Amino acid sequence: YTTELTTALRAQDHRANALELEAKGLARTMNAQIAAVTENMIVQIRAHEHRAEALQAQVDARDLMISRMTASVSWRLTKPMRFASRLLMKALRVVRRPLRIVGGFVYRATPLPVSIKARMVSALLHAAAPLVRDTGFYQNWFAARRRAAQARLPGEGLRQLPKEVARAIEIDYSAAVPFVYPLAEMETPKLAVFLHLYHENLAPEFQRYFKNIPFSFDLFITTDSAAKAGIITRHFTGWAEGRIEVRVTPNRGRDIAPKLLGFREIYDRYPFVLHLHSKISDHASALANWRGLLLETLIGSPEIVGSVFDAFTRRSDIGMIAPQHFEAVRHWINWGGNFKAAEALAQRMGEHSLSMDKPADFPSGSMFWARSAALRPLLDLNLAFGDFDEEKGQIDGTIAHAIERLYFYVCERAGFGWMKIAPRALYPQTPCIVTIDTPAALSAFVNERGLKLTGPNLPPQRVTFPAPVLAPRVLVDRLQYRALGCDQEVDPTAKVCVGIVTYNNTAAQLRRVVESARHALERAGLAHAGRISLIDNGMASEILVREAGAGGELLHYMPSAGNIGFGAAHNKLMAEWFASGGEFYIATNPDGAFHPDAIINLMQMMRAHRNRALIEAMQFPAEHPKTYDPYTFETPWASGACLVIPRALHEQTNGFDETFFMYCEDVDLSWRAKGLGFAVRICPRALFLHEVTNREPEARTLKTIYGSGIILARKWGDPDFEAKLIGELEDIGGTAPPGQPQPVLADWRRLADFKHHFTFAEMRW
C-alpha cells in the first residue's frame, strides 16, 4: 500500500510539474502576445502621431500661405472686385426666379428650331457657369451633357448607347469545363483547325496551345502576306501533329473571311472544325487578355478538349460550342451598328426571325468549336472576299462583325443547338456556370439550360447595363505561367554552354560571373554536360580565373585571337560548342552575374517554345527600358548581355554578324531570328546582374555605337536613319564606316524598328 501511495504521489507530482510548465508556457505565450499587441498598438499610435503631425504641418503651411496671400499687394488691390462680386451674387439670388420665368417665356416664344435654341442655351450656360453653377437648372444641364459624353465611344462621334439585347447574366448558362466524370471512349475525330494569323508573331503561343489537343489534326493557316506566310511556315518547321498548310488571303473581312473562304473546300472533308485567330484588341487596354481567355477556355488543357468532344459524341444535336463571354466585354454584347447587315445576310439564308426586341447572343471574339454541318447555311451563301469591307481599322459596323453576331443563328438554322463553356476559375464574376459531373448532368444541362435565339418562349432581354470589369488575376497568372514555361521540366540531358568574352576585366568580376554560372548550371541539373567557355578580347584573364579557383572542371579556356569584337568572339565560342554536339549557348557579359535560378528558368521558357526562340534574361537592378508584352513576354529585340541561342538558330544564322565590331549585333540577330520564324522573348524569372544600363558612354564608345547603328541601317534598308546618324557622328568628330553589308531580304525590313533611335523599340519609361 505504501509503495502504491508513493507511486501515486509521484505521478501527481509529475502532473503538477507538467501543469506548472504548461502554465508557464501559457504565461510566456500570453506575455508575448500582449507584448506583440502592445508593440503593434504603439506602432499604430506613432503612425497616427506622424499622420497628425503631417496634417498639422499641412494646416500650418496652408495658414501661412493664406496669411501671405491676404497680406499681398494683389489681394489688397482686388478687394473692391471681390466686394462687387459678392453684391452681384446676392443680386442674382434675388432676381433668379424672375429671370427664370422670363427666360422660359423668351425660349418658348422665340421662333427658332429646338436644336438651335438648345445650342444657344448651352453656350449661355457655358459662359455664365461661374455665376449659375450652384443652380438646379445648370446642374441638370451639366448632368445631361456628361451622360452624352459617356455615350461617345473611342474613335466615333456622339451617339446613343446600343439597345440592350443580351439575356440577363442570371440566366446566361454555361457548362463548367472540364467535365468531372470519365469521358466516353471515341474514335479519333477528323478535325480541321482554321487559324488566321494576321499577327504572325503569335505563332509560338498557338503552337503551345495546340499541344493540348490529344489527337492528331490538320492545321490550315491563313495570313495576309507572303512574308508573314514564310515566317509562319518556318516557325512550324518539324510540326508532326498532322497536315499543315499556309495560304495568303486578301486583308479583308478581318479573321472571319479568311476562315470561311481561305479554305472553303476543306469544310466538306472534315466533320469538326475549330476556328481561331490571332486576336489583338488594342483599342481598349481591358481587352489585352481576351485572346488568352478564349484559348484557355477552348483548348486550355487536354481535359477541356476531351470534354468538348464528349459533348459532341453524346449529343448529336449540339452544333457549336463556344466560350462564355469574357467578363470585360459583357457590356458590349449587343448588335452595335451591325443589325441591318446581319438581317440582310440572315434573310439570304432564309432566316427571318432577327429582331431588336429578341435576345441576341454570339461567340464574342469569333473563336469556337463546331460541326461543319452547323456552318452550312453560311457557307452556302458563297460569299467572296469582295463582299467584305476594306480594312480601315474599324472596330464595328462591318460585314465581318455582322457574321460574328450571326453564328448561333446559323447553327440553329442548320438544325443544331449550341452551348457555351467556361473554366470556373477564369470567370469569377459570372454566375450560372453549371458543373457537369455525370453524362446525365450533361443531358439535363442541354435540355433544361440550353440557350436559343429562335422559336417560342425566348427569355427576356436584360434591362440593366452590366458594369465593365477587369480580367481576373487568375487568368493573368495562368497566361504568364504558360508563356514562361513554369510547367515545363528541364531536360537533364540538355547541353548548355555559358560563353564569356572578356575585355580587361578585374579578377573579382571574372570570379563572380564564372562562379555564378557554375552555380546556376548546377542548380539546373545541367553541370554534368555543361561548360563555361572564356575567350579574351583584351588582356589575358586565364591566370586570374585559375588563381581565383573559379569554374572548376566546367571551365574551358579558348586561346585569344586578339580584340576581334564582341560578336566575332562569341561566334568562335559558339561554333566550337555546337560542333562538339552542344544544344544551347548563353552569351554572357563578363561584368554581370547569374541569379542561382536564372539558367533553369531560361531553359524552362526555351522548352515552352520548342527550342525555337531567342531568350534574354532580365537585367537587374535596373531593367533595360525597352518594352515587352507582359503576357507573352515578346520583346522587339533581345539584349546580348545574357542571351540564350539555340542550336537551330545558329545553324540558320551562323550567330552574330561580324560586320558589327560591337553594339547592335544583338539587335540584328533578333530581327533575323524573327524573319526565320523564331520567337524573341525576355524571361523576367531569369535574373542577370548588370549594373551598367544607365552609364554615360565615352566619346570613343559613342563613335563605335553610331558606327554600328549606321551599319544596321544599311543592312536593314533605312537611309533616313543612316543619314541622321552620319550627321550625329560628324558632330562628335567621327566618320562613317566604309562598305555596304549584305542587305537582308526585302520582306524582312518591316521587322526592323528605327523609329525610336538607339532603343530600337518603344520605351517603358
Side-chain angles (χ1 to χ4, degrees):
Y1 174 79
T2 303
T3 301
E4 292 177 358
L5 183 60
T6 302
T7 302
L9 290 172
R10 286 175 179 172
Q12 289 180 356
D13 288 341
H14 286 310
R15 284 197 294 273
N17 290 336
L19 289 172
E20 183 179 1
L21 290 173
E22 184 178 354
K24 289 180 179 179
L26 288 172
R28 284 195 297 270
T29 302
M30 291 180 63
N31 289 335
Q33 291 177 347
I34 291 170
V37 171
T38 304
E39 184 178 359
N40 185 46
M41 291 178 64
I42 291 172
V43 170
Q44 292 184 16
I45 290 169
R46 288 176 179 171
H48 285 302
E49 289 174 348
H50 288 313
R51 283 195 290 272
E53 291 174 0
L55 288 172
Q56 186 60 48
Q58 292 178 9
V59 171
D60 293 342
R62 186 196 62 186
D63 291 343
L64 178 61
M65 182 181 67
I66 292 173
S67 63
R68 287 178 176 174
M69 181 181 68
T70 54
S72 65
V73 175
S74 60
W75 182 261
R76 292 196 296 271
L77 290 175
T78 56
K79 184 176 181 180
M81 297 172 61
R82 292 194 302 277
F83 178 74
S85 176
R86 286 195 296 272
L87 286 179
L88 180 60
M89 293 303 297
K90 288 180 181 179
L92 282 173
R93 280 193 290 271
V94 172
V95 301
R96 182 180 295 165
R97 181 173 177 77
L99 281 175
R100 188 161 56 242
I101 295 171
V102 173
F105 175 78
V106 172
Y107 180 83
R108 289 190 296 273
T110 303
L112 290 173
V114 174
S115 59
I116 295 177
K117 289 194 287 187
R119 291 194 191 98
M120 293 173 63
V121 171
S122 293
L124 184 61
L125 289 173
H126 239 326
L131 300 177
V132 298
R133 185 174 284 121
D134 60 337
T135 65
F137 184 82
Y138 176 87
Q139 290 169 359
N140 290 337
W141 168 80
F142 186 80
R145 189 164 165 264
R146 182 171 55 191
R147 286 194 298 271
Q150 289 174 346
R152 189 186 302 274
L153 299 182
E156 300 184 6
L158 193 66
R159 70 176 195 180
Q160 292 183 343
L161 290 173
K163 174 181 170 59
E164 285 296 327
V165 295
R167 58 172 45 84
I169 192 172
E170 293 78 14
I171 56 172
D172 190 7
Y173 290 95
S174 51
V177 287
F179 301 161
V180 287
Y181 62 81
L183 304 179
E185 292 186 8
M186 60 179 181
E187 295 182 3
T188 300
K190 195 172 183 182
L191 170 67
V193 176
F194 296 102
L195 169 61
H196 182 59
L197 267 179
Y198 179 83
H199 303 282
E200 80 284 4
N201 56 302
L202 293 177
E205 178 180 329
F206 282 91
Q207 193 172 78
R208 191 165 63 246
Y209 276 102
F210 288 154
K211 292 292 185 180
N212 292 329
I213 300 178
F215 46 80
S216 61
F217 60 93
D218 292 338
L219 178 59
F220 302 94
I221 302 176
T222 52
T223 191
D224 68 318
S225 74
K228 292 180 182 179
I231 291 174
I232 294 167
T233 301
R234 287 188 288 270
H235 180 80
F236 278 90
T237 298
W239 181 253
E241 308 303 321
R243 173 188 172 190
I244 181 171
E245 185 175 348
V246 183
R247 289 183 183 176
V248 177
T249 59
N251 187 23
R252 297 175 75 107
R254 293 296 169 87
D255 63 289
I256 303 288
K259 288 184 298 190
L260 293 174
L261 310 180
F263 289 95
R264 173 63 184 83
E265 77 282 4
I266 297 297
Y267 285 87
D268 298 330
R269 308 176 196 169
Y270 294 83
F272 297 101
V273 298
L274 172 61
H275 276 205
L276 303 172
H277 68 107
S278 56
K279 183 173 185 59
I280 294 182
S281 301
D282 52 9
H283 57 281
S285 59
L287 307 182
N289 298 296
W290 194 357
R291 180 185 69 255
L293 183 282
L294 296 173
L295 292 176
E296 285 290 329
T297 302
L298 291 169
I299 50 176
S301 70
E303 292 75 20
I304 288 177
V305 178
S307 299
V308 167
F309 278 93
D310 189 75
F312 278 138
T313 300
R314 295 181 186 276
R315 297 295 303 236
S316 59
D317 56 338
I318 293 295
M320 292 182 67
I321 299 177
Q324 179 58 281
H325 300 297
F326 185 28
E327 290 177 337
V329 304
R330 269 199 174 276
H331 57 298
W332 288 326
I333 303 305
N334 49 55
W335 285 107
N338 306 288
F339 181 78
K340 289 184 178 180
E343 186 178 39
L345 286 170
Q347 290 176 355
R348 286 179 59 184
M349 290 186 290
E351 179 61 57
H352 300 279
S353 63
L354 267 67
S355 170
M356 291 290 285
D357 297 322
K358 293 181 180 179
D361 208 341
F362 56 93
S364 51
S366 67
M367 298 194 205
F368 52 82
W369 294 96
R371 298 181 192 271
S372 296
L375 299 176
R376 183 63 54 198
L378 181 59
L379 296 170
D380 287 347
L381 291 180
N382 294 317
L383 296 171
F385 279 99
D387 295 321
F388 289 82
D389 304 79
E390 292 185 14
E391 180 56 45
K392 297 179 180 178
Q394 307 96 318
I395 62 174
D396 198 16
T398 69
I399 295 297
H401 289 96
I403 289 177
E404 179 184 20
R405 285 158 173 79
L406 279 177
Y407 273 126
F408 289 158
Y409 280 98
V410 172
C411 182
E412 292 186 26
R413 182 69 187 170
F416 294 95
W418 48 274
M419 61 184 286
K420 293 191 286 192
I421 56 175
R424 197 183 300 274
L426 304 185
Y427 293 83
Q429 300 188 52
T430 298
C432 300
I433 300 177
V434 180
T435 299
I436 308 297
D437 52 6
T438 64
L442 174 63
S443 292
F445 174 83
V446 174
N447 295 334
E448 300 170 14
R449 305 299 188 189
L451 308 176
K452 292 287 185 180
L453 298 177
T454 59
N457 303 319
L458 296 177
Q461 300 164 325
R462 67 189 180 196
V463 295
T464 57
F465 187 76
V469 298
L470 297 177
R473 182 68 232 181
V474 65
L475 171 61
V476 175
D477 289 343
R478 188 174 296 185
L479 297 180
Q480 293 176 335
Y481 182 87
R482 293 190 189 280
L484 291 167
C486 299
D487 56 342
Q488 300 292 318
E489 293 290 336
V490 173
D491 182 0
T493 65
K495 297 179 180 179
V496 180
C497 173
V498 176
I500 305 169
V501 176
T502 75
Y503 184 74
N504 301 337
N505 296 99
T506 65
Q509 287 177 325
L510 295 172
R511 179 188 177 96
R512 183 177 67 176
V513 68
V514 169
E515 277 300 289
S516 69
R518 180 188 62 78
H519 190 39
L521 285 168
E522 290 175 350
R523 282 282 287 265
L526 302 173
H528 65 284
R531 178 190 290 181
I532 302 171
S533 294
L534 280 82
I535 186 172
D536 294 326
N537 270 1
M539 66 181 186
S541 62
E542 182 175 11
I543 188 171
L544 297 176
V545 178
R546 302 293 187 193
E547 287 178 353
E553 296 179 355
L554 290 174
L555 190 65
H556 173 80
Y557 196 85
M558 178 176 282
S560 173
N563 191 7
I564 59 176
F566 176 87
H570 273 298
N571 284 348
K572 288 180 69 68
L573 294 176
M574 232 186 302
E576 183 193 46
W577 174 245
F578 288 128
S580 66
E583 298 172 79
F584 304 96
Y585 179 86
I586 305 179
T588 309
N589 270 30
D591 54 356
F594 289 88
H595 183 279
D597 291 327
I599 291 180
I600 190 172
N601 292 331
L602 286 169
M603 299 312 297
Q604 282 181 306
M605 193 174 194
M606 181 65 75
R607 193 174 177 90
H609 288 80
R610 293 177 54 249
N611 300 338
R612 291 188 60 83
L614 190 64
I615 302 179
E616 167 193 1
M618 176 72 79
Q619 299 178 47
F620 81 101
E623 297 179 11
H624 195 288
K626 63 181 170 62
T627 189
Y628 61 86
D629 187 290
Y631 311 111
T632 66
F633 302 104
E634 179 183 10
T635 188
W637 58 273
S639 168
C642 185
L643 181 66
V644 189
I645 303 170
R647 180 190 188 93
L649 180 58
H650 181 263
E651 289 175 347
Q652 297 182 55
T653 61
N654 292 319
F656 296 108
D657 184 344
E658 297 182 15
T659 309
F660 302 91
F661 179 77
M662 186 185 298
Y663 303 112
C664 297
E665 64 282 298
D666 47 6
V667 179
D668 169 72
L669 179 61
S670 299
W671 292 348
R672 285 188 288 140
K674 288 185 178 183
L676 292 166
F678 286 78
V680 178
R681 299 290 187 266
I682 187 169
C683 183
R685 296 174 71 224
L687 299 179
F688 184 75
L689 177 67
H690 198 231
E691 302 175 275
V692 295
T693 301
N694 295 315
R695 66 184 175 189
E696 192 68 30
E698 300 175 352
R700 183 178 63 179
T701 303
L702 203 57
K703 292 177 183 178
T704 305
I705 293 174
Y706 284 162
S708 295
I710 291 169
I711 295 172
L712 189 70
R714 290 171 179 169
K715 181 173 182 178
W716 288 86
D718 194 311
D720 293 336
F721 189 71
E722 177 187 359
K724 180 179 179 180
L725 285 189
I726 290 174
E728 294 185 16
L729 187 58
E730 291 174 349
D731 289 342
I732 60 174
T735 56
Q740 175 67 41
Q742 180 68 34
V744 299
L745 298 173
D747 287 343
W748 286 12
R749 292 181 180 178
R750 63 184 181 82
L751 302 172
D753 181 358
F754 290 98
K755 300 186 299 291
H756 301 92
H757 204 60
F758 265 97
T759 55
F760 301 109
E762 292 183 9
M763 303 280 278
R764 283 182 294 138
W765 64 80

